């Protein structure tokens, strides 16, 4: 970097500092310290290295930038404004953290143009970025350098690296040698409580090196050193960590280098002192035109890159396939394969564990669905998530369709978010339902960002059996159903499993959970499978015998069989019972009043049966409804003995029904 370049970088960085401290001050809320500390490194990155055209923030071959340290959101908002991203106006900066603004307290995907992922929960950003970098390598293997050739850049904080998920993410990235992933660590040694030495003496560079990363160290306030490190990082054959030694709140006369600049406004006196120290002679929210011009040179450079890429795309013999891939959606061939599979299920009426039925769906569609990228957290043979047509993705070959994530449930879920956000990939990943606890923060972000991520969660109840209560989920269905935007599917047989997969694949506005059984279940459907009955969340599986129902038995998954048995037992007692299968109570509750009433008639009492806790069921069965399920944790024993011990039986369903008719 030449001397004239250095002279331009420092005022560019100071513009970020000034806008950040002014916005936080006006909002009386926010985190000025990180943007002020990382402004120099960020200015070099954006001015000299990032490939991102502000005129088209969704350009497929753009570099991805992830502000993992999302509390420092004014860094990215200031930059997006300075480079000219439409919608990120000065008025939006002035409305930082205010209702309805495009500048919320932490970056939110889909809310602010140019923000690639929602960050703020520490550790999530860097882990999501691993998925973005992985998606880039997969698509590069499928479409070549001419169409897919970009980097994923991350600014991470000390807190990001302390979160446990970061280890899962960096070890996976190092194993796969994701050399298009470059992390700038804001190494300022300050946490909210004070010095990081209060709680952390880890040598993070050695940690990254042990995971297979290249590591570099620079003075984060030396633009020439940062530029050289970024140039070197782009040439690496491994992911790269650049430790940028910085001063939090750089320029603030009293609060720089202290926790006092982390998470609260600096105050008028400190801001005035910072302006003097930085030589920033402009008022609040004032940026000279020459500095705007310097920032927007990067837009000119990137516009040329985008133009050249568009020309390559137009001339490519895989143009149509690439456009279709990035547009998303289920390929017609895969849709046809799924229909054929459903027809075979109806014909064969197999008795299968629903995890096995799920595996057969994947076997049917995977070869015709190249965007479908699967994986498991070291439970492939138990989750049954790998189709025979799917080759393993490796560090020297990304052309396959299956990832061994290792025992990294949280990192797997975050990486799937990154792949989905990147585009061109429909990710699914498996583990046991009990370990959704380990995934939950990333599942929540899947929902918050409306990402079509599919979680294949097997061994869904006490039916797991001998592994005991540590592995038997009882509260997890309720917990997952409680997350806004998540749809949880617990199918009762092979046909419902296929229908649930169809619903999950067709969904474009949020994640799907497939909760699948270890134990076998009989084929319960009596229709021809031509309509996806599961798609409305719940439907009448068996009508009452001999007239209008006196009681409705509603169940999910493996317990639907018990409801069917109870219906027949009640008929022998002269009680007319309807059986409703509810693979997705969340989807059912979204239906109109007329449909819900057609399934659960007004005034007819209900009994629900599910091998889980009652929490959440009252929204469907009412406070007076009966419930047959779990009230505590499970135990270690064969599944049949456990169902008997905990009273989840057809006889118990009959008992609860008779109390209400």
């Amino acid at each position: 970097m030449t001397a004239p370049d250095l002279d331009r970088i420092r005022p560019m960085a100071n513009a970020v500092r000034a806008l950040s401290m002014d916005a936080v001050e006006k909002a009386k809320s926010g985190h000025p310290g990180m943007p002020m500390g990382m402004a120099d490194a960020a200015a070099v990155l954006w001015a000299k290295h990032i490939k991102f055209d502000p005129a088209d923030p969704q350009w497929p071959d753009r570099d991805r930038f992830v502000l993992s340290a999302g509390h420092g959101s004014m860094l990215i908002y200031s930059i997006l404004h300075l480079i000219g991203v439409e919608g990120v106006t000065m008025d939006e900066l002035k409305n930082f953290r205010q209702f309805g603004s495009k500048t919320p307290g932490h970056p939110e995907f889909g809310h602010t143009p140019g923000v690639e992922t929602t960050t703020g929960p520490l550790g999530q950003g860097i882990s999501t970025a691993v998925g973005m970098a992985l998606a880039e390598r997969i698509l590069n293997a499928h479409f070549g350098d001419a169409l897919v050739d970009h980097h994923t850049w991350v600014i991470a904080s000390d807190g990001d690296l302390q979160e446990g998920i970061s280890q899962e993410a960096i070890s996976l990235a190092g194993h796969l040698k994701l050399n298009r992933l470059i992390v700038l660590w804001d190494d300022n040694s300050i946490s909210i409580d004070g010095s990081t030495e209060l709680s952390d003496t880890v040598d993070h560079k050695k940690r990254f090196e042990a995971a297979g990363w290249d590591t570099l160290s620079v003075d984060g306030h030396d633009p020439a050193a940062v530029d050289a490190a970024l140039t070197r990082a782009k040439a690496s054959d491994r992911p790269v960590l650049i430790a940028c030694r910085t001063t939090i709140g750089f320029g603030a006369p009293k609060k720089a280098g202290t926790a006092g600049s982390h998470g609260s406004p600096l105050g008028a006196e400190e801001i005035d002192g910072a302006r003097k120290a930085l030589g920033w002679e402009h008022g609040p929210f004032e940026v000279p035109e020459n500095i705007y011009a310097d920032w927007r040179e990067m837009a000119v450079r990137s516009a040329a890159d985008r133009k050249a890429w568009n020309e390559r795309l137009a001339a490519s013999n895989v143009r149509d396939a690439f456009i279709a891939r990035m547009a998303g959606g289920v390929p017609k061939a895969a849709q046809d394969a799924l229909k054929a599979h459903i027809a075979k299920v109806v014909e064969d009426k197999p008795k299968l564990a629903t995890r096995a039925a799920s595996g057969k769906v994947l076997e049917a569609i995977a070869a015709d669905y190249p965007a479908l990228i699967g994986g498991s957290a070291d439970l492939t043979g138990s989750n049954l998530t790998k189709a025979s047509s799917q080759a393993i993705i490796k560090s020297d070959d990304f052309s396959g369709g299956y990832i061994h994530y290792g025992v990294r449930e949280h990192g797997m879920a975050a990486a799937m978010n990154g792949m989905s956000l990147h585009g061109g990939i429909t990710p699914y990943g498996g583990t046991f339902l009990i370990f959704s606890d380990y995934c939950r923060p990333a599942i929540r972000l899947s929902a918050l960002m409306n990402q079509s991520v599919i979680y294949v969660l097997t061994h869904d109840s006490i039916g797991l059996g001998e592994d005991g209560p540590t592995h038997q989920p009882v509260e997890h269905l309720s917990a997952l159903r409680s997350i806004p935007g998540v749809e949880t599917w617990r199918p009762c047989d092979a046909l419902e499993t296929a229908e649930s997969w169809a619903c999950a694949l067709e969904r474009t506005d949020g994640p799907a959970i497939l909760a699948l059984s270890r134990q076998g279940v009989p084929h319960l459907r009596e229709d021809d499978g031509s309509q996806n009955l599961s798609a409305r969340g719940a439907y009448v599986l068996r009508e009452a015998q001999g007239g209008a129902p006196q009681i409705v038995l509603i169940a999910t998954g493996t317990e639907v069989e018990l409801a069917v048995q109870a219906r027949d037992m009640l008929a022998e007692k002269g009680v007319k019972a309807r059986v409703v299968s509810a693979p997705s109570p969340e989807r059912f509750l979204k239906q109109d009043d007329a449909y819900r009433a057609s399934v659960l008639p007004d005034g007819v009492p209900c009994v629900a049966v599910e091998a889980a806790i009652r929490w959440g069921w009252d929204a469907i069965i009412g406070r007076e409804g009966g419930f047959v399920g779990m009230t505590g944790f499970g135990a270690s024993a064969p599944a049949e003995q456990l169902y008997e011990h905990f009273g989840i039986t057809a006889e118990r369903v009959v008992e609860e029904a008779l109390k209400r008719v």
Side-chain angles (χ1 to χ4, degrees):
M1 184 176 284
T2 65
D5 288 330
L6 290 176
D7 291 341
R8 295 166 65 192
I9 287 292
R10 290 190 178 110
M12 292 169 68
N14 285 340
V16 172
R17 292 187 173 102
L19 290 172
S20 297
M21 61 186 183
D22 289 344
V24 171
E25 186 68 19
K26 187 174 186 298
K28 302 303 179 188
S29 172
H31 300 76
M34 193 285 281
M36 295 175 72
M38 279 299 286
D40 294 309
V44 175
L45 173 63
W46 281 83
K48 304 287 288 183
H49 295 274
I50 277 187
K51 182 173 66 172
F52 179 90
D53 186 355
D56 186 1
Q58 295 302 308
W59 167 36
D61 202 37
R62 69 191 182 279
D63 285 357
R64 270 63 170 179
F65 175 76
V66 173
L67 185 65
S68 194
H71 54 276
S73 56
M74 272 307 303
L75 177 81
I76 184 62
Y77 299 152
S78 298
I79 290 172
L80 293 174
H81 168 70
L82 290 165
I83 65 176
V85 172
E86 185 177 0
V88 189
T89 63
M90 186 64 82
D91 283 342
E92 295 292 347
L93 301 190
K94 292 178 181 178
N95 284 320
F96 177 55
R97 287 190 162 219
Q98 304 310 300
F99 183 76
S101 77
K102 294 186 183 299
T103 50
H106 292 83
E108 297 178 22
F109 171 78
H111 188 79
T112 308
V115 168
E116 302 282 4
T117 182
T118 298
T119 56
L122 293 175
Q124 290 288 337
I126 186 174
S127 306
T128 301
V130 170
M132 293 178 179
L134 179 52
E136 190 273 345
R137 288 292 82 193
I138 293 170
L139 290 168
N140 174 270
H142 292 185
F143 294 102
D145 291 344
L147 298 184
V148 184
D149 183 13
H150 54 266
H151 287 82
T152 301
W153 304 91
V154 180
I155 288 180
S157 64
D158 292 302
D160 284 298
L161 302 192
Q162 289 177 17
E163 286 286 357
I165 189 177
S166 73
Q167 183 59 40
E168 297 183 24
I170 69 172
S171 59
L172 179 62
H175 172 71
L176 291 173
K177 298 181 180 178
L178 298 178
N179 67 315
R180 299 307 180 90
L181 175 62
I182 301 171
V183 175
L184 287 77
W185 167 30
D186 180 18
D187 180 17
N188 62 34
S189 298
I190 293 294
S191 65
I192 293 175
D193 284 350
S195 169
T196 54
E197 291 183 358
L198 290 169
S199 59
D200 188 17
T201 50
V202 170
D203 186 329
H204 289 287
K205 282 187 62 181
K206 287 183 179 178
R207 183 162 72 99
F208 277 77
E209 289 166 3
W213 290 54
D214 273 342
T215 63
L216 303 168
S217 295
V218 297
D219 177 349
H221 301 299
D222 181 343
V226 172
D227 181 50
L230 294 173
T231 300
R232 180 176 166 185
K234 289 190 293 187
S236 178
D237 63 353
R238 292 182 287 171
V240 180
L241 173 75
I242 304 174
C244 300
R245 192 67 174 143
T246 64
T247 299
I248 191 170
F250 183 87
K254 296 178 182 178
K255 294 186 177 181
T258 74
S261 66
H262 169 79
S264 59
L266 295 177
E269 181 180 346
E270 195 76 357
I271 288 176
D272 184 59
R275 277 185 156 79
K276 291 176 181 176
L278 298 170
W280 188 258
E281 299 176 351
H282 315 289
F285 298 104
E286 290 182 6
V287 179
E289 283 303 318
N290 65 304
I291 294 180
Y292 274 120
D294 287 343
W295 270 104
R296 291 176 183 178
E297 277 191 13
M298 70 81 59
V300 175
R301 168 174 54 80
S302 293
D305 290 335
R306 181 168 67 92
K307 181 176 182 293
W309 181 85
N310 282 329
E311 291 171 353
R312 293 195 299 274
L313 176 65
S316 174
N317 59 3
V318 292
R319 172 185 176 275
D320 292 344
F322 180 83
I323 291 173
R325 182 75 170 265
M326 296 306 294
V330 184
K332 185 178 184 304
Q335 294 178 34
D336 291 343
L338 184 54
K339 289 178 183 177
H341 170 73
I342 287 173
K344 181 169 174 53
V345 167
V346 171
E347 179 182 355
D348 294 347
K349 299 178 172 55
K351 178 177 181 178
L352 287 173
T354 53
R355 62 169 176 154
S358 170
K360 290 186 178 297
V361 171
L362 290 168
E363 190 66 31
I365 68 174
D368 294 312
Y369 201 159
L372 191 66
I373 303 296
S376 171
D378 199 45
L379 288 168
T380 297
S382 294
N383 299 147
L384 300 176
T385 40
K386 183 183 179 300
S388 60
S389 62
Q390 292 175 310
I392 304 301
I393 290 170
K394 302 176 181 179
S395 62
D396 59 353
D397 184 359
F398 290 91
S399 63
Y402 196 81
I403 303 162
H404 286 297
Y405 285 104
V407 187
R408 304 184 182 107
E409 295 92 349
H410 199 178
M412 173 183 72
M416 290 196 294
N417 282 340
M419 286 188 278
S420 177
L421 287 161
H422 180 281
I425 304 289
T426 300
Y428 71 90
T431 186
F432 288 174
L433 178 59
I434 193 81
F435 300 132
S436 62
D437 283 340
Y438 291 164
C439 305
R440 187 178 174 86
I443 294 174
R444 186 176 189 273
L445 284 180
S446 300
L448 188 59
M449 297 187 290
N450 303 113
Q451 292 305 297
S452 302
V453 178
I454 300 171
Y455 297 88
V456 181
L457 305 180
T458 69
H459 297 61
D460 66 347
S461 71
I462 59 170
L464 171 67
E466 293 83 350
D467 278 340
T470 61
H471 284 56
Q472 292 167 2
V474 293
E475 75 274 28
H476 297 73
L477 290 169
S478 294
L480 291 166
R481 290 167 181 159
S482 74
I483 303 174
V486 170
E487 286 189 345
T488 302
W489 299 86
R490 189 170 185 247
C492 74
D493 65 5
L495 180 51
E496 272 197 5
T497 302
E499 291 179 339
S500 297
W501 260 107
C503 292
L505 291 169
E506 291 165 4
R507 192 172 186 215
T508 60
D509 61 350
I513 308 290
L514 300 178
L516 305 170
S517 72
R518 179 193 186 195
Q519 68 270 42
V521 289
H523 184 84
L524 294 172
R525 287 275 287 276
E526 297 178 331
D527 60 290
D528 63 4
S530 60
Q531 295 184 56
N532 187 333
L533 300 182
S534 299
R536 300 193 80 167
Y539 62 94
V540 178
L541 178 71
R542 296 281 193 279
E543 191 50 272
Q545 297 162 294
Q550 298 169 276
I551 188 84
V552 175
L553 311 178
I554 181 168
T556 75
T558 47
E559 288 73 68
V560 174
E561 179 185 7
L562 299 180
V564 171
Q565 293 170 0
R567 165 187 175 266
D568 296 339
M569 294 164 66
L570 286 165
E572 293 175 0
K573 297 176 182 294
V575 176
K576 296 183 282 293
R578 169 186 287 182
V579 175
V580 170
S581 179
S584 180
E586 307 98 301
R587 180 73 74 93
F588 177 66
L589 288 171
K590 294 177 185 175
Q591 304 305 309
D592 58 60
D593 291 343
Y595 180 75
R596 293 202 306 270
S598 74
V599 176
L600 304 178
D602 293 339
V604 179
C606 293
V607 174
V609 54
E610 184 173 67
I613 62 171
R614 178 171 179 147
W615 194 267
W617 273 104
D618 286 2
I620 293 176
I621 64 175
R623 292 174 61 189
E624 303 305 317
F627 183 76
V628 176
M630 297 294 291
T631 58
F633 297 117
S636 177
E640 296 83 359
Q641 185 178 350
L642 290 173
Y643 272 82
E644 186 71 30
H645 172 77
F646 288 108
I648 305 175
T649 63
E651 289 78 9
R652 178 68 187 284
V653 176
V654 169
E655 179 184 331
E656 289 296 317
L658 291 176
K659 292 178 184 178
R660 291 166 173 81
V661 296

